[in-house]
């Protein structure tokens, strides 16, 4: 996690400055990707997502990754013809750490094989990404 230093300055009665530095940790970055599931492949998407989360959690302790299915409003979601979707979520200290982690994952043969299988289960062209700081 990146740390920000916050200095607090207090003025005494005689106008002299006194204070202390207080460490304030920035909340982690959350990266989310929502993708449409190919119709009829919902069970496959859920099973493969569980495998991906288990792989990441087992081989890369400290990394937070989750996946769940449902429906979210994205630019690719037609309200008249809803499509089941999958939401992947990761937490990292900052964008640099996410980039490093992605490079490590792309070197993991088992993860890459899962990504290739996922290509037949979700519509990658429908994916949308969101990034934000988690609430403290």
């Amino acid at each position: 996690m990146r740390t920000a230093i916050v200095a607090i300055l207090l003025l005494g009665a005689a106008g002299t400055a006194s204070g202390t530095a207080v460490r304030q940790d920035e909340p982690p970055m959350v990266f989310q990707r929502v993708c449409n599931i190919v119709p009829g492949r919902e069970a496959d998407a859920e099973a493969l997502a569980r495998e991906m989360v288990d792989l990441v959690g087992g081989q890369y302790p400290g990394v937070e990754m989750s996946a769940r299915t449902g429906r979210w409003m994205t630019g690719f979601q037609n309200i008249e013809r809803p499509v089941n979707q999958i939401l992947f979520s990761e937490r990292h200290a900052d964008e640099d750490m996410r980039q490093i982690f992605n490079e490590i994952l792309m070197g993991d043969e088992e993860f890459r094989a899962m990504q290739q299988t996922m290509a037949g289960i979700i519509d990658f062209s429908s994916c949308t990404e969101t990034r934000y700081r988690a609430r403290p």
Side-chain angles (χ1 to χ4, degrees):
M1 241 183 225
R2 187 179 296 169
T3 301
I5 302 296
V6 178
I8 301 173
L9 181 65
L10 302 173
L11 293 178
T16 59
S18 66
T20 59
V22 178
R23 192 176 112 168
Q24 178 178 343
D25 290 332
E26 290 182 9
M29 291 294 299
V30 177
F31 300 87
Q32 294 183 328
R33 175 179 284 167
V34 176
C35 304
N36 291 350
I37 299 172
V38 172
R41 304 294 308 264
E42 289 83 2
D44 296 330
E46 287 180 25
L48 190 56
R50 275 192 306 276
E51 286 181 42
M52 292 174 89
V53 169
D54 290 347
L55 171 79
V56 168
Q59 291 189 8
Y60 307 100
V63 174
E64 294 181 49
M65 181 181 193
S66 64
R68 62 186 173 137
T69 57
R71 293 184 178 157
W72 294 268
M73 289 306 301
T74 67
F76 296 99
Q77 187 72 314
N78 183 334
I79 198 164
E80 295 173 359
R81 283 183 268 141
V83 176
N84 290 330
Q85 297 171 308
I86 191 160
L87 167 68
F88 294 98
S89 184
E90 297 175 28
R91 288 176 170 256
H92 298 281
D94 54 38
E95 298 218 20
D96 292 338
M97 292 304 292
R98 181 187 187 217
Q99 181 63 35
I100 291 167
F101 178 67
N102 283 343
E103 290 171 10
I104 291 169
L105 275 184
M106 290 301 109
D108 185 309
E109 289 184 30
E110 189 175 356
F111 185 82
R112 282 198 332 259
M114 287 180 186
Q115 284 284 88
Q116 289 174 345
T117 302
M118 189 66 78
I121 296 172
I122 65 171
D123 176 5
F124 281 115
S125 68
S126 70
C127 297
T128 59
E129 289 191 6
T130 306
R131 306 163 190 237
Y132 59 90
R133 287 257 178 224
R135 290 185 181 179

